[in-house]
Amino acid sequence: MYNIAVISGDGIGKEVMTACEYLLDKIDIEFSFTYGNAGYECFSLNGTTLPEETIKIASKSDAVLFGASTSTPGEPSPIINLRKALNVYANIRPIKSYKGANCIRDDIDFVIVRENTEGLYSQIEYGNMDKMIAERHITRKASERISKAAFNLCIKREESKVTCVHKSNVLKKTDGVFKESFYKVAKDYPQIKTEDYYVDAMAMYLLTQPQNFDVIVSSNLFGDILSDESAGLVGGLGLAPSGNIGDHNGLFEPVHGSAPDIAGKNIANPCSMILSAAMMLDYLGEWETSNNIKNAVEKVIAECKIRTPDLGGDSSTMDVTKAIVRELI
Ligand code: NAI
Ligand code: MG
């Protein structure tokens, strides 16, 4: 029995989480779900986007499932603060071509490893309307830790190359530390090839040669932007899962946000949330079930029959979820 903290959040976060729980209820593993609040609606009710109680529930769990939250003006981001509170420092975002989805190529299969605890997402901003300053914190400790996570993941995925993405030609000090730390850690992994690119060039290479990447490691903001770009290469945010991994906990969430443009219509693609749950099962050591779920999702997408509108279909969130469950059991 696994204790799972479930934080649905706002908008389609709730809808894809309902779908995900429906699927988890149907598989042969027992879960005990504890529910926590976070996000905009939570702020309207409790005056905070991330109550202490939610952090407590998440810390005590075996793993956390998070939907998505709508940003609240003037308030900190609950998901960024939750990642920091749990110290889940490595944000793992696999990008893969699915047959039947609108991918620019059919041979894309890489993973972005995004640093989760610092960078420009320190949320330390100050000044006045004439001049505002945002602090960008880069430490050797966090840079080495995320590089190690990237190299270890490269070994686990049986791949051969890690690409470091930075902007050290302009951000000489902060990204100087990031890049140096990467190459220092690389010395412990002589069998793995390394390369590094400036983030602007990398944004282009992701479009022109995405098939050439295995593991990409970057800082918080760059990793965030490149992962949405990468999702666009393989059919959009409806197919982009993620896992936030630390030494003591794991938090699993779709890459997308609360999508107010489609919220409440029951047309959100549940695959990114369901694939995130598969990543959670992998983290918990339930490899076989994790693979079965990934295969079921792949099969439903490849059949091109039951699909949400983002993939060109007209099926609902629950239609797709039920089709995936039918493949599973
Ligand atoms: P978004 O990721 O919510 O949506 C971007 C576009 O992708 C929209 O057109 C949306 O309809 C589509 N999309 C996203 N997920 C989809 C799915 N599962 N199925 C079908 N289409 C999907 O980003 P946006 O619109 O920039 O932000 C909306 C809100 O979400 C904002 O308040 C933002 O701050 C928040 N946000 C929260 C995140 C989180 O909780 N982790 C991450 C990103 C944004
Ligand atoms: Mg993002």
Side-chain angles (χ1 to χ4, degrees), residues 93 224 228 255:
R93 298 180 151 189
D224 191 8
D228 275 36
V255 170

Side-chain angles (χ1 to χ4, degrees), residues 235-277:
L237 287 167
L239 294 174
S242 79
N244 302 264
I245 314 284
D247 294 329
H248 306 291
N249 213 329
L251 181 157
F252 301 84
E253 50 163 340
V255 170
H256 64 71
S258 59
D261 54 336
I262 57 165
K265 297 182 179 161
N266 193 26
I267 54 167
N269 190 338
C271 292
S272 40
M273 184 76 238
I274 288 170
L275 290 168
S276 304

Side-chain angles (χ1 to χ4, degrees), residues 108-310:
I108 300 172
D109 190 5
F110 63 82
V111 59
I112 294 179
V113 178
R114 161 185 170 193
E115 205 291 321
N116 239 358
T117 63
E118 53 179 36
L120 199 55
Y121 285 0
S122 66
Q123 298 188 96
I124 303 170
E125 294 185 295
Y126 46 87
N128 53 46
M129 290 308 279
D130 293 324
K131 181 174 182 176
M132 289 292 184
I133 296 166
E135 291 189 9
R136 184 174 195 264
H137 293 221
I138 300 281
T139 63
R140 182 184 293 282
K141 183 179 167 208
S143 304
E144 287 186 6
R145 188 173 61 179
I146 198 66
S147 292
K148 246 181 233 163
F151 283 102
N152 288 337
L153 186 61
C154 188
I155 292 170
K156 187 177 171 216
R157 285 169 57 98
E158 299 179 346
E159 287 174 324
S160 62
K161 185 174 71 175
V162 182
T163 307
C164 174
V165 180
H166 56 84
K167 188 67 186 170
S168 70
N169 53 337
V170 178
L171 301 166
K172 291 185 194 301
K173 295 196 171 168
T174 47
D175 269 1
V177 168
F178 193 79
K179 182 179 159 185
E180 246 179 55
S181 304
F182 170 76
Y183 280 112
K184 179 169 172 245
V185 170
K187 289 193 184 130
D188 295 332
Y189 301 85
Q191 75 280 25
I192 297 177
K193 281 186 245 151
T194 52
E195 64 185 5
D196 71 278
Y197 291 119
Y198 300 130
V199 64
D200 39 359
M202 184 66 183
M204 181 190 70
Y205 294 140
L206 279 174
L207 296 175
T208 55
Q209 43 172 292
Q211 74 281 10
N212 289 343
F213 297 108
D214 294 337
V215 176
I216 296 164
V217 62
S218 196
S219 52
N220 211 335
L221 171 70
F222 297 161
D224 191 8
I225 295 171
L226 295 181
S227 44
D228 275 36
E229 181 190 353
S230 302
L233 304 174
V234 292
L237 287 167
L239 294 174
S242 79
N244 302 264
I245 314 284
D247 294 329
H248 306 291
N249 213 329
L251 181 157
F252 301 84
E253 50 163 340
V255 170
H256 64 71
S258 59
D261 54 336
I262 57 165
K265 297 182 179 161
N266 193 26
I267 54 167
N269 190 338
C271 292
S272 40
M273 184 76 238
I274 288 170
L275 290 168
S276 304
M279 288 179 77
M280 177 185 81
L281 291 171
D282 190 41
Y283 167 81
L284 293 171
E286 300 287 350
W287 302 295
E288 196 183 333
T289 313
S290 171
N291 280 335
N292 290 344
I293 293 174
K294 287 182 213 161
N295 291 339
V297 169
E298 245 173 72
K299 201 154 175 218
V300 169
I301 296 168
E303 275 170 4
C304 299
K305 278 193 214 138
I306 304 175
R307 309 196 293 177
T308 43
D310 57 307

